[in-house]
mmCIF file of all heavy atoms in Angstrom:
data_model
loop_
_atom_site.group_PDB
_atom_site.id
_atom_site.type_symbol
_atom_site.label_atom_id
_atom_site.label_comp_id
_atom_site.label_asym_id
_atom_site.label_seq_id
_atom_site.Cartn_x
_atom_site.Cartn_y
_atom_site.Cartn_z
ATOM 1 N N CYS A 25 119.822 100.442 236.076
ATOM 2 C CA CYS A 25 119.867 99.356 235.094
ATOM 3 C C CYS A 25 121.131 98.518 235.283
ATOM 4 O O CYS A 25 121.114 97.286 235.065
ATOM 5 C CB CYS A 25 119.870 99.980 233.649
ATOM 6 S SG CYS A 25 118.333 100.620 233.131
ATOM 7 N N LYS A 26 122.183 99.144 235.694
ATOM 8 C CA LYS A 26 123.485 98.414 235.798
ATOM 9 C C LYS A 26 123.593 97.738 237.149
ATOM 10 O O LYS A 26 124.209 96.681 237.218
ATOM 11 C CB LYS A 26 124.680 99.408 235.641
ATOM 12 C CG LYS A 26 124.875 99.820 234.155
ATOM 13 C CD LYS A 26 126.180 100.630 234.152
ATOM 14 C CE LYS A 26 126.605 100.811 232.719
ATOM 15 N NZ LYS A 26 127.924 101.464 232.632
ATOM 16 N N TYR A 27 123.024 98.339 238.260
ATOM 17 C CA TYR A 27 123.391 97.827 239.581
ATOM 18 C C TYR A 27 122.258 97.362 240.460
ATOM 19 O O TYR A 27 122.465 96.666 241.426
ATOM 20 C CB TYR A 27 124.214 98.930 240.363
ATOM 21 C CG TYR A 27 125.368 99.447 239.585
ATOM 22 C CD1 TYR A 27 125.442 100.752 239.151
ATOM 23 C CD2 TYR A 27 126.484 98.587 239.361
ATOM 24 C CE1 TYR A 27 126.471 101.234 238.424
ATOM 25 C CE2 TYR A 27 127.548 99.055 238.614
ATOM 26 C CZ TYR A 27 127.554 100.406 238.195
ATOM 27 O OH TYR A 27 128.653 100.834 237.521
ATOM 28 N N SER A 28 121.032 97.747 240.122
ATOM 29 C CA SER A 28 119.911 97.473 240.960
ATOM 30 C C SER A 28 119.488 96.026 241.094
ATOM 31 O O SER A 28 119.030 95.510 242.060
ATOM 32 C CB SER A 28 118.701 98.366 240.635
ATOM 33 O OG SER A 28 117.754 98.420 241.658
ATOM 34 N N TYR A 29 119.663 95.347 239.982
ATOM 35 C CA TYR A 29 119.209 93.948 239.846
ATOM 36 C C TYR A 29 120.363 92.985 239.495
ATOM 37 O O TYR A 29 120.453 92.544 238.417
ATOM 38 C CB TYR A 29 118.107 93.823 238.812
ATOM 39 C CG TYR A 29 116.849 94.610 239.174
ATOM 40 C CD1 TYR A 29 116.645 95.831 238.551
ATOM 41 C CD2 TYR A 29 115.923 94.166 240.121
ATOM 42 C CE1 TYR A 29 115.454 96.597 238.858
ATOM 43 C CE2 TYR A 29 114.773 94.885 240.420
ATOM 44 C CZ TYR A 29 114.597 96.102 239.767
ATOM 45 O OH TYR A 29 113.414 96.800 240.036
ATOM 46 N N PRO A 30 121.217 92.662 240.437
ATOM 47 C CA PRO A 30 122.354 91.848 240.166
ATOM 48 C C PRO A 30 122.018 90.393 239.917
ATOM 49 O O PRO A 30 122.632 89.626 239.223
ATOM 50 C CB PRO A 30 123.326 92.014 241.347
ATOM 51 C CG PRO A 30 122.448 92.438 242.441
ATOM 52 C CD PRO A 30 121.264 93.136 241.804
ATOM 53 N N GLU A 31 120.935 89.927 240.537
ATOM 54 C CA GLU A 31 120.555 88.482 240.490
ATOM 55 C C GLU A 31 119.577 88.182 239.394
ATOM 56 O O GLU A 31 119.683 87.222 238.680
ATOM 57 C CB GLU A 31 120.027 88.074 241.838
ATOM 58 C CG GLU A 31 120.958 88.261 243.002
ATOM 59 C CD GLU A 31 122.104 87.345 242.929
ATOM 60 O OE1 GLU A 31 122.027 86.175 242.530
ATOM 61 O OE2 GLU A 31 123.251 87.846 243.262
ATOM 62 N N GLU A 32 118.466 88.945 239.340
ATOM 63 C CA GLU A 32 117.384 88.694 238.405
ATOM 64 C C GLU A 32 116.892 90.038 237.803
ATOM 65 O O GLU A 32 117.019 91.027 238.475
ATOM 66 C CB GLU A 32 116.334 87.922 239.042
ATOM 67 C CG GLU A 32 115.696 88.607 240.306
ATOM 68 C CD GLU A 32 114.720 87.722 241.019
ATOM 69 O OE1 GLU A 32 115.088 86.589 241.361
ATOM 70 O OE2 GLU A 32 113.590 88.141 241.265
ATOM 71 N N PRO A 33 116.316 89.969 236.686
ATOM 72 C CA PRO A 33 115.802 91.230 236.100
ATOM 73 C C PRO A 33 114.643 91.814 236.854
ATOM 74 O O PRO A 33 113.960 91.124 237.551
ATOM 75 C CB PRO A 33 115.415 90.818 234.700
ATOM 76 C CG PRO A 33 115.302 89.282 234.592
ATOM 77 C CD PRO A 33 116.102 88.843 235.843
ATOM 78 N N GLY A 34 114.480 93.088 236.701
ATOM 79 C CA GLY A 34 113.340 93.737 237.275
ATOM 80 C C GLY A 34 113.000 94.994 236.513
ATOM 81 O O GLY A 34 113.455 95.251 235.452
ATOM 82 N N ASN A 35 112.054 95.756 237.037
ATOM 83 C CA ASN A 35 111.561 96.968 236.356
ATOM 84 C C ASN A 35 111.971 98.226 237.042
ATOM 85 O O ASN A 35 112.359 98.207 238.200
ATOM 86 C CB ASN A 35 110.029 96.899 236.289
ATOM 87 C CG ASN A 35 109.490 95.884 235.304
ATOM 88 O OD1 ASN A 35 110.269 95.236 234.580
ATOM 89 N ND2 ASN A 35 108.177 95.670 235.297
ATOM 90 N N ALA A 36 111.807 99.296 236.281
ATOM 91 C CA ALA A 36 111.918 100.644 236.858
ATOM 92 C C ALA A 36 110.700 101.397 236.321
ATOM 93 O O ALA A 36 110.341 101.371 235.161
ATOM 94 C CB ALA A 36 113.176 101.356 236.407
ATOM 95 N N GLU A 37 110.081 102.155 237.230
ATOM 96 C CA GLU A 37 108.892 102.940 236.953
ATOM 97 C C GLU A 37 109.244 104.392 237.053
ATOM 98 O O GLU A 37 109.722 104.875 238.128
ATOM 99 C CB GLU A 37 107.736 102.562 237.859
ATOM 100 C CG GLU A 37 106.496 103.321 237.591
ATOM 101 C CD GLU A 37 105.354 102.941 238.523
ATOM 102 O OE1 GLU A 37 105.606 102.082 239.399
ATOM 103 O OE2 GLU A 37 104.251 103.484 238.366
ATOM 104 N N VAL A 38 109.068 105.163 236.039
ATOM 105 C CA VAL A 38 109.367 106.582 235.964
ATOM 106 C C VAL A 38 108.012 107.307 235.846
ATOM 107 O O VAL A 38 107.190 107.066 234.968
ATOM 108 C CB VAL A 38 110.283 106.917 234.855
ATOM 109 C CG1 VAL A 38 110.529 108.409 234.757
ATOM 110 C CG2 VAL A 38 111.625 106.198 234.923
ATOM 111 N N SER A 39 107.813 108.227 236.793
ATOM 112 C CA SER A 39 106.622 109.049 236.793
ATOM 113 C C SER A 39 107.068 110.530 236.820
ATOM 114 O O SER A 39 108.029 110.863 237.423
ATOM 115 C CB SER A 39 105.747 108.770 238.051
ATOM 116 O OG SER A 39 105.386 107.417 238.102
ATOM 117 N N CYS A 40 106.201 111.327 236.138
ATOM 118 C CA CYS A 40 106.400 112.847 236.297
ATOM 119 C C CYS A 40 105.140 113.338 237.014
ATOM 120 O O CYS A 40 103.989 112.942 236.672
ATOM 121 C CB CYS A 40 106.457 113.403 234.964
ATOM 122 S SG CYS A 40 107.965 113.079 234.049
ATOM 123 N N LYS A 41 105.390 114.159 237.960
ATOM 124 C CA LYS A 41 104.293 114.736 238.763
ATOM 125 C C LYS A 41 104.510 116.241 238.845
ATOM 126 O O LYS A 41 105.602 116.769 238.877
ATOM 127 C CB LYS A 41 104.296 114.141 240.192
ATOM 128 C CG LYS A 41 104.190 112.656 240.168
ATOM 129 C CD LYS A 41 104.241 112.042 241.539
ATOM 130 C CE LYS A 41 104.069 110.516 241.408
ATOM 131 N NZ LYS A 41 103.975 109.883 242.681
ATOM 132 N N GLN A 42 103.316 116.877 238.946
ATOM 133 C CA GLN A 42 103.313 118.342 239.024
ATOM 134 C C GLN A 42 102.653 118.790 240.350
ATOM 135 O O GLN A 42 101.612 118.312 240.648
ATOM 136 C CB GLN A 42 102.568 118.915 237.876
ATOM 137 C CG GLN A 42 102.431 120.532 237.983
ATOM 138 C CD GLN A 42 101.423 121.002 236.913
ATOM 139 O OE1 GLN A 42 100.987 120.288 236.048
ATOM 140 N NE2 GLN A 42 101.012 122.230 237.076
ATOM 141 N N GLY A 43 103.350 119.586 241.077
ATOM 142 C CA GLY A 43 102.766 120.103 242.347
ATOM 143 C C GLY A 43 103.162 121.558 242.548
ATOM 144 O O GLY A 43 104.367 121.868 242.519
ATOM 145 N N ASP A 44 102.263 122.458 242.705
ATOM 146 C CA ASP A 44 102.508 123.880 242.906
ATOM 147 C C ASP A 44 103.586 124.343 241.915
ATOM 148 O O ASP A 44 103.343 124.285 240.691
ATOM 149 C CB ASP A 44 102.959 124.116 244.382
ATOM 150 C CG ASP A 44 101.907 123.788 245.380
ATOM 151 O OD1 ASP A 44 100.700 123.863 245.025
ATOM 152 O OD2 ASP A 44 102.249 123.397 246.539
ATOM 153 N N SER A 45 104.723 124.733 242.299
ATOM 154 C CA SER A 45 105.737 125.204 241.475
ATOM 155 C C SER A 45 106.869 124.222 241.248
ATOM 156 O O SER A 45 107.952 124.549 240.920
ATOM 157 C CB SER A 45 106.325 126.538 241.971
ATOM 158 O OG SER A 45 106.931 126.335 243.276
ATOM 159 N N ARG A 46 106.489 122.909 241.426
ATOM 160 C CA ARG A 46 107.594 121.915 241.312
ATOM 161 C C ARG A 46 107.185 120.869 240.258
ATOM 162 O O ARG A 46 105.992 120.534 240.110
ATOM 163 C CB ARG A 46 107.701 121.188 242.697
ATOM 164 C CG ARG A 46 108.100 122.110 243.792
ATOM 165 C CD ARG A 46 108.196 121.423 245.162
ATOM 166 N NE ARG A 46 107.039 120.642 245.453
ATOM 167 C CZ ARG A 46 107.030 119.584 246.242
ATOM 168 N NH1 ARG A 46 108.071 119.161 246.722
ATOM 169 N NH2 ARG A 46 105.926 118.910 246.410
ATOM 170 N N PHE A 47 108.197 120.396 239.606
ATOM 171 C CA PHE A 47 108.093 119.248 238.694
ATOM 172 C C PHE A 47 108.891 118.161 239.291
ATOM 173 O O PHE A 47 110.096 118.353 239.614
ATOM 174 C CB PHE A 47 108.710 119.732 237.295
ATOM 175 C CG PHE A 47 108.624 118.615 236.323
ATOM 176 C CD1 PHE A 47 107.443 118.203 235.678
ATOM 177 C CD2 PHE A 47 109.778 118.034 235.797
ATOM 178 C CE1 PHE A 47 107.391 117.296 234.697
ATOM 179 C CE2 PHE A 47 109.794 117.124 234.777
ATOM 180 C CZ PHE A 47 108.556 116.691 234.218
ATOM 181 N N ILE A 48 108.311 117.012 239.562
ATOM 182 C CA ILE A 48 108.984 115.894 240.210
ATOM 183 C C ILE A 48 109.026 114.664 239.338
ATOM 184 O O ILE A 48 107.993 114.246 238.825
ATOM 185 C CB ILE A 48 108.226 115.581 241.611
ATOM 186 C CG1 ILE A 48 108.288 116.858 242.492
ATOM 187 C CG2 ILE A 48 108.883 114.355 242.260
ATOM 188 C CD1 ILE A 48 107.322 116.679 243.712
ATOM 189 N N ILE A 49 110.205 114.126 239.231
ATOM 190 C CA ILE A 49 110.424 112.885 238.541
ATOM 191 C C ILE A 49 110.648 111.844 239.636
ATOM 192 O O ILE A 49 111.534 111.965 240.406
ATOM 193 C CB ILE A 49 111.657 112.909 237.608
ATOM 194 C CG1 ILE A 49 111.430 114.036 236.581
ATOM 195 C CG2 ILE A 49 111.819 111.570 236.911
ATOM 196 C CD1 ILE A 49 112.770 114.365 235.917
ATOM 197 N N GLU A 50 109.753 110.830 239.688
ATOM 198 C CA GLU A 50 109.827 109.758 240.648
ATOM 199 C C GLU A 50 110.232 108.456 240.026
ATOM 200 O O GLU A 50 109.627 108.095 238.948
ATOM 201 C CB GLU A 50 108.576 109.594 241.367
ATOM 202 C CG GLU A 50 108.585 108.523 242.480
ATOM 203 C CD GLU A 50 107.294 108.442 243.261
ATOM 204 O OE1 GLU A 50 106.361 107.778 242.790
ATOM 205 O OE2 GLU A 50 107.213 109.028 244.336
ATOM 206 N N ILE A 51 111.277 107.890 240.434
ATOM 207 C CA ILE A 51 111.807 106.589 239.861
ATOM 208 C C ILE A 51 111.676 105.573 240.991
ATOM 209 O O ILE A 51 112.221 105.771 242.073
ATOM 210 C CB ILE A 51 113.245 106.843 239.432
ATOM 211 C CG1 ILE A 51 113.397 107.925 238.455
ATOM 212 C CG2 ILE A 51 113.776 105.486 238.736
ATOM 213 C CD1 ILE A 51 114.852 108.321 238.163
ATOM 214 N N VAL A 52 111.003 104.504 240.630
ATOM 215 C CA VAL A 52 110.738 103.409 241.641
ATOM 216 C C VAL A 52 111.325 102.088 241.072
ATOM 217 O O VAL A 52 110.992 101.768 239.914
ATOM 218 C CB VAL A 52 109.242 103.309 241.928
ATOM 219 C CG1 VAL A 52 108.984 102.164 242.889
ATOM 220 C CG2 VAL A 52 108.671 104.583 242.448
ATOM 221 N N ASP A 53 112.043 101.348 241.871
ATOM 222 C CA ASP A 53 112.488 100.028 241.512
ATOM 223 C C ASP A 53 112.496 99.181 242.778
ATOM 224 O O ASP A 53 112.478 99.636 243.859
ATOM 225 C CB ASP A 53 113.860 100.070 240.885
ATOM 226 C CG ASP A 53 115.020 100.387 241.823
ATOM 227 O OD1 ASP A 53 115.395 99.395 242.483
ATOM 228 O OD2 ASP A 53 115.420 101.563 241.909
ATOM 229 N N SER A 54 112.436 97.853 242.479
ATOM 230 C CA SER A 54 112.466 96.915 243.686
ATOM 231 C C SER A 54 113.752 96.150 243.765
ATOM 232 O O SER A 54 113.876 95.127 244.369
ATOM 233 C CB SER A 54 111.290 95.872 243.474
ATOM 234 O OG SER A 54 111.480 95.113 242.238
ATOM 235 N N GLY A 55 114.799 96.789 243.283
ATOM 236 C CA GLY A 55 116.160 96.242 243.329
ATOM 237 C C GLY A 55 116.775 96.337 244.748
ATOM 238 O O GLY A 55 116.104 96.727 245.693
ATOM 239 N N ILE A 56 118.055 96.147 244.771
ATOM 240 C CA ILE A 56 118.770 96.238 246.057
ATOM 241 C C ILE A 56 118.646 97.668 246.619
ATOM 242 O O ILE A 56 118.685 98.632 245.812
ATOM 243 C CB ILE A 56 120.256 95.704 245.998
ATOM 244 C CG1 ILE A 56 120.967 96.576 244.969
ATOM 245 C CG2 ILE A 56 120.345 94.300 245.632
ATOM 246 C CD1 ILE A 56 122.433 96.316 244.879
ATOM 247 N N PRO A 57 118.583 97.817 247.906
ATOM 248 C CA PRO A 57 118.494 99.143 248.538
ATOM 249 C C PRO A 57 119.732 99.945 248.217
ATOM 250 O O PRO A 57 120.837 99.446 248.365
ATOM 251 C CB PRO A 57 118.372 98.870 249.963
ATOM 252 C CG PRO A 57 117.901 97.488 250.179
ATOM 253 C CD PRO A 57 118.455 96.730 249.004
ATOM 254 N N PHE A 58 119.513 101.174 247.782
ATOM 255 C CA PHE A 58 120.635 102.097 247.586
ATOM 256 C C PHE A 58 120.219 103.533 247.695
ATOM 257 O O PHE A 58 119.379 104.075 246.930
ATOM 258 C CB PHE A 58 121.192 101.929 246.142
ATOM 259 C CG PHE A 58 122.337 102.796 245.815
ATOM 260 C CD1 PHE A 58 123.494 102.745 246.475
ATOM 261 C CD2 PHE A 58 122.188 103.836 244.848
ATOM 262 C CE1 PHE A 58 124.610 103.601 246.251
ATOM 263 C CE2 PHE A 58 123.248 104.698 244.574
ATOM 264 C CZ PHE A 58 124.457 104.606 245.292
ATOM 265 N N ASP A 59 120.677 104.142 248.781
ATOM 266 C CA ASP A 59 120.409 105.563 249.013
ATOM 267 C C ASP A 59 121.497 106.428 248.616
ATOM 268 O O ASP A 59 122.503 106.698 249.330
ATOM 269 C CB ASP A 59 120.127 105.708 250.570
ATOM 270 C CG ASP A 59 119.843 107.171 250.981
ATOM 271 O OD1 ASP A 59 119.732 108.031 250.117
ATOM 272 O OD2 ASP A 59 119.659 107.401 252.166
ATOM 273 N N MET A 60 121.421 106.969 247.437
ATOM 274 C CA MET A 60 122.402 107.765 246.859
ATOM 275 C C MET A 60 122.535 109.112 247.585
ATOM 276 O O MET A 60 123.628 109.819 247.564
ATOM 277 C CB MET A 60 122.206 108.089 245.386
ATOM 278 C CG MET A 60 120.957 108.881 245.108
ATOM 279 S SD MET A 60 120.816 109.224 243.436
ATOM 280 C CE MET A 60 121.312 110.906 243.307
ATOM 281 N N THR A 61 121.526 109.502 248.335
ATOM 282 C CA THR A 61 121.623 110.785 249.076
ATOM 283 C C THR A 61 122.503 110.696 250.310
ATOM 284 O O THR A 61 122.942 111.670 250.818
ATOM 285 C CB THR A 61 120.245 111.247 249.510
ATOM 286 O OG1 THR A 61 119.706 110.321 250.424
ATOM 287 C CG2 THR A 61 119.265 111.439 248.344
ATOM 288 N N SER A 62 122.809 109.462 250.704
ATOM 289 C CA SER A 62 123.687 109.327 251.895
ATOM 290 C C SER A 62 125.184 109.332 251.528
ATOM 291 O O SER A 62 125.980 109.302 252.472
ATOM 292 C CB SER A 62 123.396 107.987 252.640
ATOM 293 O OG SER A 62 123.696 106.872 251.765
ATOM 294 N N LEU A 63 125.508 109.301 250.260
ATOM 295 C CA LEU A 63 126.882 109.286 249.903
ATOM 296 C C LEU A 63 127.500 110.658 249.951
ATOM 297 O O LEU A 63 126.870 111.619 249.579
ATOM 298 C CB LEU A 63 127.047 108.709 248.438
ATOM 299 C CG LEU A 63 126.598 107.283 248.247
ATOM 300 C CD1 LEU A 63 126.771 106.899 246.741
ATOM 301 C CD2 LEU A 63 127.375 106.360 249.087
ATOM 302 N N PRO A 64 128.764 110.785 250.380
ATOM 303 C CA PRO A 64 129.401 112.090 250.390
ATOM 304 C C PRO A 64 129.727 112.500 248.975
ATOM 305 O O PRO A 64 129.871 111.704 248.066
ATOM 306 C CB PRO A 64 130.732 111.789 251.169
ATOM 307 C CG PRO A 64 130.983 110.362 250.945
ATOM 308 C CD PRO A 64 129.661 109.686 250.874
ATOM 309 N N SER A 65 129.845 113.799 248.825
ATOM 310 C CA SER A 65 130.252 114.340 247.493
ATOM 311 C C SER A 65 131.689 113.872 247.184
ATOM 312 O O SER A 65 132.513 113.788 248.081
ATOM 313 C CB SER A 65 130.173 115.805 247.468
ATOM 314 O OG SER A 65 128.829 116.287 247.633
ATOM 315 N N PRO A 66 131.931 113.599 245.900
ATOM 316 C CA PRO A 66 133.297 113.145 245.528
ATOM 317 C C PRO A 66 134.287 114.304 245.669
ATOM 318 O O PRO A 66 133.905 115.518 245.566
ATOM 319 C CB PRO A 66 133.118 112.695 244.112
ATOM 320 C CG PRO A 66 132.012 113.490 243.570
ATOM 321 C CD PRO A 66 131.049 113.689 244.767
ATOM 322 N N ASP A 67 135.550 113.989 245.750
ATOM 323 C CA ASP A 67 136.593 114.981 245.828
ATOM 324 C C ASP A 67 136.867 115.405 244.341
ATOM 325 O O ASP A 67 137.390 114.664 243.566
ATOM 326 C CB ASP A 67 137.885 114.365 246.421
ATOM 327 C CG ASP A 67 139.022 115.360 246.382
ATOM 328 O OD1 ASP A 67 138.801 116.495 246.091
ATOM 329 O OD2 ASP A 67 140.138 114.882 246.655
ATOM 330 N N ILE A 68 136.478 116.641 244.040
ATOM 331 C CA ILE A 68 136.628 117.087 242.702
ATOM 332 C C ILE A 68 137.829 118.092 242.536
ATOM 333 O O ILE A 68 138.016 118.691 241.490
ATOM 334 C CB ILE A 68 135.340 117.666 242.075
ATOM 335 C CG1 ILE A 68 134.866 118.830 242.958
ATOM 336 C CG2 ILE A 68 134.259 116.718 241.919
ATOM 337 C CD1 ILE A 68 133.675 119.733 242.364
ATOM 338 N N THR A 69 138.498 118.239 243.711
ATOM 339 C CA THR A 69 139.609 119.188 243.734
ATOM 340 C C THR A 69 140.949 118.449 243.439
ATOM 341 O O THR A 69 141.929 119.075 242.927
ATOM 342 C CB THR A 69 139.756 119.932 245.040
ATOM 343 O OG1 THR A 69 139.845 118.947 246.084
ATOM 344 C CG2 THR A 69 138.489 120.753 245.292
#
């Protein structure tokens, strides 16, 4: 909501899915690309 759409408004789609022993929340948006998984963990020490 804060960072994905800096120029124009957009949507976010939230889905819940069930598979085997997993519960998956899928969030889809068409905003600017952002791969949070590629960021290093912060220094919490």
Side-chain angles (χ1 to χ4, degrees):
C25 291
K26 285 187 168 185
Y27 306 114
S28 195
Y29 297 102
E31 301 293 320
E32 56 188 53
N35 287 352
E37 180 178 2
V38 177
S39 301
C40 293
K41 300 177 181 188
Q42 175 190 350
D44 298 330
S45 62
R46 301 177 309 152
F47 180 71
I48 299 169
I49 302 165
E50 183 174 82
I51 307 169
V52 179
D53 71 83
S54 60
I56 59 174
F58 178 66
D59 180 3
M60 67 178 254
T61 64
S62 68
L63 298 177
S65 294
D67 176 10
I68 56 171
T69 60

